[in-house]
Coordinates of all heavy atoms in Angstrom, one line a residue:
K45 N 1.0 -14.0 0.5 CA 0.2 -15.2 0.9 C 0.5 -16.3 0.0 O -0.3 -17.3 0.0 CB -1.3 -14.8 0.9 CG -1.7 -13.7 1.8 CD -1.3 -14.0 3.3 CE -1.8 -12.9 4.2 NZ -1.5 -13.1 5.6
N46 N 1.6 -16.2 -0.8 CA 2.0 -17.3 -1.8 C 0.9 -17.6 -2.8 O 0.6 -18.7 -3.1 CB 2.3 -18.6 -1.0 CG 3.3 -19.4 -1.8 OD1 4.1 -18.9 -2.6 ND2 3.3 -20.7 -1.6
V47 N 0.3 -16.5 -3.3 CA -0.7 -16.6 -4.4 C -0.1 -16.0 -5.6 O 0.4 -14.9 -5.6 CB -2.0 -15.9 -4.0 CG1 -3.0 -16.0 -5.2 CG2 -2.6 -16.6 -2.8
E48 N -0.1 -16.7 -6.7 CA 0.4 -16.2 -8.0 C -0.7 -15.4 -8.7 O -1.7 -15.9 -9.0 CB 1.0 -17.3 -8.9 CG 1.7 -16.8 -10.1 CD 2.4 -17.8 -10.9 OE1 3.4 -18.4 -10.4 OE2 2.0 -18.2 -12.0
V49 N -0.4 -14.1 -9.0 CA -1.3 -13.3 -9.7 C -0.8 -12.9 -11.1 O 0.4 -12.5 -11.2 CB -1.6 -12.0 -8.9 CG1 -2.6 -11.1 -9.6 CG2 -2.0 -12.3 -7.5
T50 N -1.6 -13.1 -12.1 CA -1.2 -12.8 -13.5 C -1.9 -11.5 -13.9 O -3.1 -11.4 -13.9 CB -1.6 -13.9 -14.5 OG1 -1.0 -15.1 -14.1 CG2 -1.2 -13.6 -15.9
I51 N -1.1 -10.5 -14.3 CA -1.6 -9.2 -14.6 C -1.2 -8.8 -16.1 O -0.1 -9.0 -16.5 CB -1.0 -8.1 -13.7 CG1 -1.2 -8.5 -12.2 CG2 -1.6 -6.7 -14.0 CD1 -0.5 -7.5 -11.3
P52 N -2.2 -8.5 -16.9 CA -1.9 -8.1 -18.3 C -1.0 -6.9 -18.3 O -1.1 -5.9 -17.5 CB -3.2 -7.8 -18.9 CG -4.2 -8.5 -18.0 CD -3.6 -8.5 -16.7
N53 N -0.1 -6.8 -19.3 CA 0.9 -5.7 -19.4 C 0.2 -4.4 -19.7 O 0.7 -3.3 -19.2 CB 1.9 -6.0 -20.4 CG 3.0 -7.1 -20.0 OD1 3.2 -7.2 -18.8 ND2 3.5 -7.8 -20.9
S54 N -0.9 -4.4 -20.4 CA -1.6 -3.2 -20.7 C -2.1 -2.5 -19.4 O -2.1 -1.3 -19.3 CB -2.7 -3.4 -21.7 OG -3.6 -4.4 -21.2
A55 N -2.6 -3.4 -18.5 CA -3.1 -2.8 -17.2 C -2.0 -2.3 -16.4 O -2.1 -1.3 -15.6 CB -3.8 -3.9 -16.4
I56 N -0.8 -2.8 -16.5 CA 0.4 -2.3 -15.7 C 0.8 -1.0 -16.3 O 1.1 0.0 -15.5 CB 1.5 -3.4 -15.8 CG1 1.1 -4.7 -15.1 CG2 2.8 -2.8 -15.1 CD1 2.1 -5.8 -15.2
L57 N 0.9 -0.9 -17.6 CA 1.4 0.3 -18.2 C 0.4 1.5 -18.0 O 0.9 2.6 -17.9 CB 1.5 0.1 -19.7 CG 2.2 1.2 -20.5 CD1 3.6 1.5 -20.1 CD2 2.1 0.9 -22.0
G58 N -0.9 1.2 -17.8 CA -1.8 2.3 -17.6 C -2.1 2.6 -16.2 O -2.9 3.5 -15.8
G59 N -1.3 2.0 -15.2 CA -1.5 2.3 -13.8 C -0.2 2.7 -13.1 O 0.8 3.0 -13.8
Q60 N -0.3 2.7 -11.8 CA 0.8 3.2 -11.0 C 1.6 1.9 -10.5 O 1.0 0.9 -10.2 CB 0.4 4.0 -9.8 CG 1.5 4.6 -9.0 CD 0.9 5.3 -7.8 OE1 0.2 4.8 -7.0 NE2 1.3 6.6 -7.6
I61 N 2.9 2.1 -10.5 CA 3.8 1.0 -10.1 C 4.7 1.5 -9.0 O 5.4 2.5 -9.1 CB 4.7 0.5 -11.3 CG1 3.9 0.1 -12.5 CG2 5.6 -0.7 -10.8 CD1 4.7 -0.2 -13.7
L62 N 4.6 0.7 -7.9 CA 5.5 1.0 -6.7 C 6.5 -0.1 -6.6 O 6.2 -1.2 -6.4 CB 4.7 1.1 -5.4 CG 3.6 2.2 -5.4 CD1 2.9 2.2 -4.0 CD2 4.1 3.6 -5.6
D63 N 7.8 0.3 -6.7 CA 8.9 -0.7 -6.6 C 9.6 -0.5 -5.3 O 10.4 0.5 -5.2 CB 9.9 -0.5 -7.8 CG 10.8 -1.7 -7.9 OD1 10.9 -2.5 -6.9 OD2 11.5 -1.8 -9.0
Y64 N 9.5 -1.4 -4.4 CA 10.1 -1.2 -3.1 C 11.6 -1.6 -3.1 O 12.3 -1.3 -2.2 CB 9.4 -2.1 -2.0 CG 7.9 -1.7 -1.8 CD1 6.9 -2.5 -2.4 CD2 7.6 -0.5 -1.1 CE1 5.6 -2.1 -2.2 CE2 6.3 -0.2 -0.9 CZ 5.2 -1.0 -1.5 OH 3.9 -0.6 -1.3
S65 N 12.0 -2.4 -4.1 CA 13.4 -2.9 -4.2 C 14.3 -2.0 -5.0 O 15.5 -2.3 -5.0 CB 13.3 -4.3 -4.8 OG 12.5 -5.2 -4.1
A66 N 13.8 -1.0 -5.7 CA 14.7 -0.3 -6.6 C 15.8 0.4 -5.9 O 17.0 0.3 -6.4 CB 13.8 0.8 -7.4
L67 N 15.6 1.0 -4.8 CA 16.7 1.7 -4.1 C 17.1 1.1 -2.8 O 17.9 1.7 -2.0 CB 16.2 3.2 -3.8 CG 15.8 4.0 -5.0 CD1 15.3 5.4 -4.6 CD2 17.0 4.1 -6.0
A68 N 16.6 -0.1 -2.5 CA 16.8 -0.7 -1.2 C 18.2 -1.1 -0.9 O 18.7 -0.9 0.2 CB 15.9 -2.0 -1.1
Q69 N 18.9 -1.6 -1.9 CA 20.3 -2.0 -1.7 C 21.3 -0.8 -1.6 O 22.3 -0.9 -0.9 CB 20.7 -2.9 -2.9 CG 19.9 -4.2 -3.0 CD 20.0 -5.0 -1.7 OE1 21.1 -5.1 -1.0 NE2 18.9 -5.7 -1.3
R70 N 21.0 0.3 -2.4 CA 21.9 1.4 -2.4 C 21.6 2.4 -1.3 O 22.5 2.9 -0.6 CB 21.9 2.1 -3.8 CG 22.3 1.2 -4.9 CD 22.5 2.0 -6.2 NE 21.3 2.7 -6.6 CZ 20.4 2.2 -7.4 NH1 20.5 1.0 -7.8 NH2 19.3 3.0 -7.7
Q71 N 20.4 2.8 -1.1 CA 20.0 3.8 -0.2 C 19.1 3.3 1.0 O 19.0 4.0 2.0 CB 19.3 4.9 -0.9 CG 20.1 5.6 -2.1 CD 19.3 6.6 -2.8 OE1 18.2 7.1 -2.3 NE2 19.7 7.0 -4.0
G72 N 18.5 2.1 0.8 CA 17.7 1.6 1.9 C 16.2 2.0 1.7 O 15.9 3.1 1.2
L73 N 15.3 1.1 2.0 CA 13.9 1.4 1.9 C 13.4 1.8 3.3 O 13.8 1.2 4.3 CB 13.2 0.1 1.5 CG 11.6 0.2 1.6 CD1 11.1 1.1 0.5 CD2 11.0 -1.2 1.4
I74 N 12.7 2.9 3.4 CA 12.2 3.4 4.6 C 10.8 2.8 5.0 O 9.9 3.0 4.2 CB 12.1 5.0 4.6 CG1 13.5 5.6 4.4 CG2 11.5 5.5 5.9 CD1 13.4 7.1 4.3
L75 N 10.8 2.1 6.1 CA 9.5 1.6 6.6 C 9.1 2.5 7.7 O 9.9 3.0 8.5 CB 9.7 0.2 7.2 CG 10.3 -0.9 6.2 CD1 10.4 -2.2 6.9 CD2 9.5 -1.0 4.9
H76 N 7.8 2.8 7.7 CA 7.3 3.8 8.7 C 5.9 3.3 9.2 O 5.1 2.7 8.6 CB 7.1 5.2 8.0 CG 6.2 5.2 6.8 ND1 4.9 5.4 6.9 CD2 6.5 5.0 5.5 CE1 4.3 5.3 5.7 NE2 5.3 5.1 4.9
T77 N 5.7 3.7 10.5 CA 4.4 3.4 11.1 C 4.2 4.5 12.2 O 5.1 5.1 12.7 CB 4.4 2.0 11.8 OG1 3.1 1.7 12.3 CG2 5.4 2.0 13.0

């Protein structure tokens, strides 16, 4: 929605991170519904 969100690094390190772009170029990202 074009909103910039600032997240402290300590909150990122203590939580879960989902990276949709990590394997998209080599293996492709699977979209499902």
Side-chain angles (χ1 to χ4, degrees):
K45 301 299 183 182
N46 206 27
V47 177
E48 186 172 291
V49 181
T50 301
I51 306 175
N53 285 333
S54 58
I56 299 176
L57 186 63
Q60 187 183 50
I61 304 173
L62 300 181
D63 191 348
Y64 299 104
S65 303
L67 304 176
Q69 298 300 324
R70 299 192 302 270
Q71 303 178 13
L73 172 67
I74 298 180
L75 303 181
H76 57 89
T77 187

